[in-house]
Amino acid sequence: MPASKFNRGHAIAVALCALTTLAALPLRDWLDQANIVMLFLLAVFLVAIRRGRGPALLAAFLSVGLFDVFFVPPYYSFSVADAQYLVTFAVMLAIGLITTHLTAQLAERREAAQARERETRALYELARDLGATLTLGQAAEVFDRHFASLGLKSRLLVAESLDQAAELTAYGLLRLGPADLALARCAYDGKRVFEDYAIVCLPFAGVTRLRGVLVVAPADRAKSLPSGLLDATASLAGITVERIHYTEVAQRSEVDIRTEKLRSSILSSISHDLRTPLTSLVGLADTLTDPGQAGNTAERAAIIRDQAHAMHRMVTNLLDMARLQAGGVVLNLQWQPFEDIVDSSTRLLADILAQRRLVVDLPADLPLLRFDAVLLERVLCNLLENAVKYSEPGATITLAAAVRDGHFEVKVANVGAGFPAGRLEEVFDIFVRGAQEPAAAGTGIGLAVCKAIVAAHGGSIVAENEPGIARVRFVLPLGTPPGVEGEPA
């Protein structure tokens, strides 16, 4: 206890005893001595509650002395006329001492309970914050904040492998010297750690094995370390490090599963959707080279051309999707009219659009847009080709564009059965098709390519259903086109 607090508590005890004496002295002839004794015991009790054991002991002895001097005949002296007063003094002192002891003990237990409550709250907050960490670096930051509030510094040393001689990777703000690292290695190896070091090394383990060492040092070398709190913190460190480890393992496993699934989907798609047109091409080529096969050569050549174009679009989609997912596409953004890629897209698909009724609705005042013409042309081609696949011959396909709510909006719709109910978002996933067993051939990546390209341009794309109509709508940011400089006079 600091000296200032010690002196203040004893001064308060003396003052309170003096005030009790001054208050009871005018009533000496009116009050019974037993009542006056109760007043002094009340003063001792108050001092014990407010100021602890030391001031209360002083108040107990001082109360006996003041009672003897001012309230026991002969007054103003320590002599006693009746020896029975000695029993009164002894009982009064005993009650004061017992009251002081019980009250101080209760105060100490209260302080201990409050300290345990603070430790429990600190451990709860630490466990809560650690539960939200995803990396070891984040966990080390949480430990640093937790120990900083206690006037401590920490360093998290994590073993990266199962080997007992594994390297301990360090996380945290506490700087460790070679001797400190050697001490941590001893703790990890299960050897004795001497207690006269300025740091504490706490090996921690998860459910399966030893995971590392938590090193803690006080910012003030003279400060003692709370051993119980440190042990609980080390246990939390082991649970957290093991959770992060298995989270990373689960993420890697999920990535491996998705990669394997993607690889299987690509192989399945290529084996079916590329082998079928290749078989047709080989068969038609055989008929052209066989002199004994009579027939319309121009018709067979047209079929070969159509199959080659279909294979080209399929392979282009696969390559575009691979490049977009790998992040290797650099957009060639230019300010240009949207009408140009509409014309080029419809010319490229003229053969497959011949059996449909295409309606193009483009206002005359469309603004310039900043986009990659090659990639956005791929979006329109995929949407138009998708509309052809899922519509009957002679059906109407609509391509419309307009400026709405500060964005450039494009819609491609066709008369047909529409997208599967409840799967409007899934149709943009790779290798997901509009129906379980569609009659039209395809790999199921056309809409996925469209979504990736539109997202790369800062836009969004959605699929919508209306009675008898399936529609895909995407929006692009307008931006501000550059000004056109006038020609000099």
Side-chain angles (χ1 to χ4, degrees), residues 328-380:
V329 176
V330 178
L331 299 182
N332 181 21
L333 300 175
Q334 301 289 337
W335 289 99
Q336 50 198 314
F338 182 73
E339 296 89 336
D340 291 350
I341 64 167
V342 172
D343 294 338
S344 61
S345 300
T346 53
R347 285 198 304 270
L348 288 173
L349 302 179
D351 295 337
I352 65 173
L353 290 173
Q355 297 182 357
R356 305 294 188 272
R357 180 174 177 268
L358 178 63
V359 177
V360 179
D361 182 11
L362 300 178
D365 57 346
L366 287 179
L368 294 177
L369 291 179
R370 190 167 181 259
F371 58 85
D372 188 312
V374 175
L375 292 180
L376 208 60
E377 180 184 88
R378 171 58 48 196
V379 172
L380 290 184

Side-chain angles (χ1 to χ4, degrees), residues 23-321:
L25 192 60
L27 304 175
R28 181 173 58 186
D29 298 331
W30 301 91
L31 292 177
D32 188 71
Q33 288 182 338
N35 294 329
I36 296 175
V37 169
M38 293 298 103
L39 293 177
F40 279 106
L41 291 178
L42 177 62
V44 173
F45 182 75
L46 292 176
V47 172
I49 290 178
R50 303 298 299 177
R51 292 298 170 180
R53 190 186 302 272
L57 290 175
L58 176 61
F61 284 99
L62 191 58
S63 296
V64 173
L66 291 174
F67 178 75
D68 180 21
V69 172
F70 292 99
F71 297 97
V72 175
Y75 300 127
Y76 310 114
S77 70
F78 286 101
S79 61
V80 179
D82 191 349
Q84 292 184 358
Y85 281 110
L86 297 177
V87 178
T88 303
F89 297 155
V91 173
M92 182 178 177
L93 181 61
I95 293 175
L97 294 177
I98 293 173
T99 302
T100 298
H101 173 72
L102 295 177
T103 306
Q105 191 177 49
L106 181 62
E108 291 172 357
R109 291 180 178 178
R110 181 189 61 192
E111 292 179 358
Q114 291 175 348
R116 287 194 298 271
E117 180 185 1
R118 288 192 295 270
E119 289 185 1
T120 303
R121 185 184 301 111
L123 288 175
Y124 165 75
E125 294 175 353
L126 176 62
R128 180 196 60 195
D129 295 340
L130 288 176
T133 57
L134 299 177
T135 63
L136 293 175
Q138 294 176 354
E141 292 177 0
V142 172
F143 280 116
D144 287 336
R145 291 198 304 269
H146 169 72
F147 285 114
S149 65
L150 303 176
L152 306 173
K153 294 181 180 180
S154 66
R155 188 79 163 176
L156 190 65
L157 303 177
V158 180
E160 298 294 345
S161 69
L162 295 173
D163 187 6
Q164 191 74 1
E167 185 69 22
L168 296 176
T169 305
Y171 302 88
L173 298 177
L174 180 63
R175 295 292 176 259
L176 301 178
D180 299 329
L181 292 175
L183 188 67
R185 166 57 65 182
C186 290
Y188 181 76
D189 293 337
K191 300 178 182 178
R192 180 184 175 189
V193 176
F194 297 96
E195 297 179 355
D196 57 348
Y197 280 84
I199 63 173
V200 173
C201 298
L202 301 167
F204 56 83
V207 178
T208 57
R209 67 177 181 90
L210 194 65
R211 289 289 177 182
V213 179
L214 179 63
V215 182
V216 181
D220 182 6
R221 295 290 184 177
K223 184 175 181 179
S224 61
L225 298 177
S227 59
L229 181 62
L230 293 181
D231 293 337
T233 303
S235 299
L236 288 176
I239 296 172
T240 302
V241 171
E242 187 155 277
R243 176 185 59 80
I244 292 175
H245 169 73
Y246 283 113
T247 300
E248 294 175 351
V249 170
Q251 290 176 346
R252 288 195 297 268
S253 299
E254 183 179 357
V255 170
D256 292 341
I257 292 173
R258 293 179 63 181
T259 302
E260 184 62 30
K261 183 179 179 181
L262 179 61
R263 184 185 298 111
S264 300
S265 300
I266 292 176
L267 291 176
S268 175
S269 174
I270 291 177
S271 64
H272 178 270
D273 293 303
L274 291 183
R275 185 172 55 189
T276 301
L278 281 175
T279 303
S280 300
L281 289 173
V282 172
L284 291 170
D286 288 341
T287 60
L288 291 176
T289 58
D290 187 358
Q293 293 287 342
N296 191 343
T297 302
E299 181 181 353
R300 295 173 183 173
I303 297 175
I304 292 176
R305 180 199 59 195
D306 295 339
Q307 293 290 342
H309 285 168
M311 287 182 59
H312 178 267
R313 288 192 293 269
M314 193 180 304
V315 173
T316 301
N317 278 333
L318 286 170
L319 294 177
D320 287 344
M321 195 69 230

Side-chain angles (χ1 to χ4, degrees), residues 365-414:
D365 57 346
L366 287 179
L368 294 177
L369 291 179
R370 190 167 181 259
F371 58 85
D372 188 312
V374 175
L375 292 180
L376 208 60
E377 180 184 88
R378 171 58 48 196
V379 172
L380 290 184
C381 288
N382 285 345
L383 294 180
L384 291 173
E385 186 178 4
N386 195 70
V388 171
K389 288 180 181 179
Y390 295 98
S391 62
E392 299 295 331
T396 300
I397 298 175
T398 304
L399 171 60
V403 176
R404 296 183 185 277
D405 300 328
H407 292 84
F408 188 82
E409 183 180 77
V410 181
K411 299 178 182 179
V412 177
N414 65 276

